[in-house]
Amino acid sequence: MWPYSRSRLHFGRKKTSSSSTCLSGKEVVGTRNYFDKLPIDVLVAILQKVGTIDILLNVQLVCLLWCNICKDPVIWRSIDIHNIGKLCNLPDFLVTADDLPYDVHKMTQVAIDRSCGQLININLEYMGNDHILKYITDRKNKLKRLRFVWSFITDEGLSEAAKKMSSIEELHIIFGDIKHVSLETVGLNCPGLKSLTFKKLCLFTKTEYKEESDDEISLTRYEEDYDYDDGNDPNFVALSISRTMPQLQHLNLIGNGMTNEGLQAILDSCPRLESLDLRKCFRVDLRADLVLGKRCSSIKEFYHPDDSTDPKDDDFQSYDEADFDFPDNEDWRWTAFFGVYKCYGSGAKAVCGVSLARELDYELAHPFLSKSFVNGRHWIAPLDA
């Protein structure tokens, strides 16, 4: 049903199948509408799969029955805002407020209002801010699941919201600027939290060399969180979880910088863990602590730091030196490279003409196109991006 156009707001019609029969020499055309014959609860379940934006822009305009269903608070118990880039034919991470033909935040508020306090699940991808969180909590919704991906929600916003959403059972934070401080506030105010996802984007691979003997050198490779500014202690997040979230049953910390110490604290404090995902947590060394490794292996669903991530998983991408075709010059290999991506204009020839310039494709350029690569979410306003 993508892309949307403004004209479709006025011309949404349902497709129907028709059959014709002959009666007394006259042709009679009968229309069969299969959807209208479905039980209302089944129809509601189907329409919820469409997504919030599509419901507001298309589904509710199809017919009177569907319009009435779309006003029922039941259908808004779950709000899913995703694929906003398809509104303007751009990748989600490149979309700015000026690109969108609609105000997605206002649409989200409309959906929250229609829930009439029955909202229990909300997913916000590449949008969302502190105001939206406050809008939810001010309406006394009994929220159970909150998920946001690359949102503009801050530590202050999440901390304030946590004080009013003690009913939350699942919190999924995929990238963004949330730190351990607000996670601890969530844990203190949400005693029923059972599932936590806190993914960080790992971008740079570092290699540490250690000379074991004259003939042996050991190499330790780990990926460093490019936006790691929680301080000098890599276990801040893990320790915050261990202090305040003892009821956790599912924990996903892909890309976290914690060490064995942080993992030990989590296992000691969260005895009910049924699933634990430590992929890309390269500072965790289970070979150095066999007892700790055995405890992890006893968890029903455990992902080792060295387990590969699903390449189809858009929630996580990692990049290291192997992703780039470096020349054999070792000094250059371990310092930097000069890349260009879709340069045009009067100065493009000068840039692209540099002998060391490497023309990047979309996959290689992707991690550098986000505002977060320059910590932009701290100093670039959403409307300026």
Side-chain angles (χ1 to χ4, degrees):
M1 302 181 77
W2 303 92
Y4 295 110
S5 63
R6 295 182 185 274
S7 61
R8 293 190 64 177
L9 286 171
H10 307 286
F11 300 100
R13 294 200 177 189
K14 188 193 309 181
K15 293 182 179 180
T16 58
S17 59
S18 60
S19 62
S20 60
T21 58
C22 287
L23 181 63
S24 301
K26 296 182 179 180
E27 184 179 32
V28 179
V29 178
T31 300
R32 292 175 294 175
N33 193 325
Y34 298 108
F35 279 103
D36 289 351
K37 295 180 180 180
L38 291 174
I40 295 299
D41 57 340
V42 174
L43 189 53
V44 167
I46 293 174
L47 295 183
Q48 283 180 324
K49 301 293 185 181
V50 174
T52 301
I53 294 178
D54 222 339
I55 291 176
L56 291 173
L57 295 183
N58 292 300
V59 173
Q60 68 175 356
L61 304 175
V62 170
C63 65
L64 182 59
L65 173 64
W66 286 24
C67 180
N68 290 333
I69 291 176
C70 291
K71 293 178 181 179
D72 192 321
V74 173
I75 205 170
W76 302 105
R77 296 183 71 188
S78 179
I79 295 176
D80 183 12
I81 306 291
H82 68 284
N83 285 345
I84 62 172
K86 291 185 178 180
L87 286 168
C88 52
N89 292 323
L90 285 173
D92 289 351
F93 67 90
L94 288 180
V95 174
T96 66
D98 292 335
D99 296 320
L100 295 169
Y102 308 99
D103 189 329
V104 179
H105 285 89
K106 285 187 177 179
M107 294 173 67
T108 306
Q109 291 177 11
V110 169
I112 294 170
D113 289 339
R114 290 191 180 185
S115 72
C116 298
Q118 297 185 33
L119 179 64
I120 60 174
N121 172 34
I122 187 166
N123 175 50
L124 307 173
E125 298 185 15
Y126 293 91
M127 60 86 60
N129 50 33
D130 293 348
H131 176 71
I132 288 293
L133 267 188
K134 187 175 186 301
Y135 200 83
I136 294 172
T137 56
D138 284 350
R139 278 144 188 80
K140 303 185 186 304
N141 288 281
K142 300 298 182 181
L143 199 64
K144 293 184 177 298
R145 182 179 185 272
L146 171 62
R147 179 179 186 270
F148 49 92
V149 181
W150 278 130
S151 75
F152 296 97
I153 295 172
T154 66
D155 280 311
E156 293 78 8
L158 181 59
S159 296
E160 286 301 314
K163 299 173 184 178
K164 299 180 182 179
M165 56 181 194
S166 59
S167 59
I168 198 80
E169 295 180 0
E170 295 184 34
L171 176 62
H172 305 284
I173 303 172
I174 317 297
F175 311 144
D177 293 326
I178 299 301
K179 305 297 185 299
H180 71 283
V181 177
S182 56
L183 279 184
E184 190 156 344
T185 304
V186 170
L188 291 172
N189 290 277
C190 307
L193 188 66
K194 299 176 182 177
S195 180
L196 174 68
T197 298
F198 189 68
K199 291 187 180 182
K200 301 291 284 183
L201 183 63
C202 292
L203 190 63
F204 301 121
T205 298
K206 291 189 176 181
T207 305
E208 291 182 352
Y209 301 86
K210 183 179 180 182
E211 189 172 346
E212 302 289 350
S213 65
D214 292 339
D215 301 322
E216 184 179 355
I217 296 178
S218 65
L219 304 179
T220 302
R221 292 167 57 86
Y222 61 90
E223 297 196 9
E224 184 74 41
D225 177 4
Y226 77 100
D227 192 26
Y228 189 76
D229 58 359
D230 269 341
N232 296 322
D233 189 348
N235 293 308
F236 272 144
V237 170
L239 294 178
S240 295
I241 292 172
S242 68
R243 285 193 295 264
T244 63
M245 304 179 184
Q247 303 300 322
L248 280 182
Q249 297 177 15
H250 308 280
L251 179 59
N252 185 330
L253 291 175
I254 284 183
N256 190 269
M258 69 178 173
T259 64
N260 285 14
E261 178 188 348
L263 176 58
Q264 182 77 53
I266 289 175
L267 295 180
D268 290 343
S269 303
C270 306
R272 300 186 180 184
L273 278 179
E274 297 177 9
S275 66
L276 176 62
D277 196 337
L278 299 181
R279 285 176 292 178
K280 304 296 183 181
C281 297
F282 291 122
R283 284 197 177 99
V284 171
D285 186 3
L286 299 181
R287 289 171 296 185
D289 191 333
L290 297 181
V291 175
L292 188 61
K294 187 175 181 179
R295 290 185 66 182
C296 290
S297 299
S298 66
I299 297 174
K300 182 186 294 186
E301 186 177 354
F302 173 65
Y303 293 93
H304 192 278
D306 292 330
D307 288 346
S308 61
T309 51
D310 186 348
K312 296 180 181 179
D313 182 6
D314 291 335
D315 283 349
F316 184 87
Q317 295 182 23
S318 66
Y319 302 83
D320 62 19
E321 302 95 348
D323 292 320
F324 302 94
D325 185 19
F326 287 93
D328 294 331
N329 183 333
E330 287 298 316
D331 292 334
W332 189 64
R333 179 183 180 88
W334 298 109
T335 54
F337 73 96
F338 184 75
V340 296
Y341 178 66
K342 291 188 176 180
C343 292
Y344 62 90
S346 58
K349 287 186 178 180
V351 174
C352 297
V354 177
S355 59
L356 294 179
R358 160 84 186 252
E359 181 66 36
L360 303 181
D361 57 21
Y362 173 76
E363 286 193 5
L364 293 182
H366 173 245
F368 308 107
L369 299 177
S370 171
K371 290 189 306 182
S372 294
F373 179 67
V374 292
N375 236 359
R377 293 176 183 270
H378 294 295
W379 56 276
I380 301 177
L383 295 180
D384 295 333

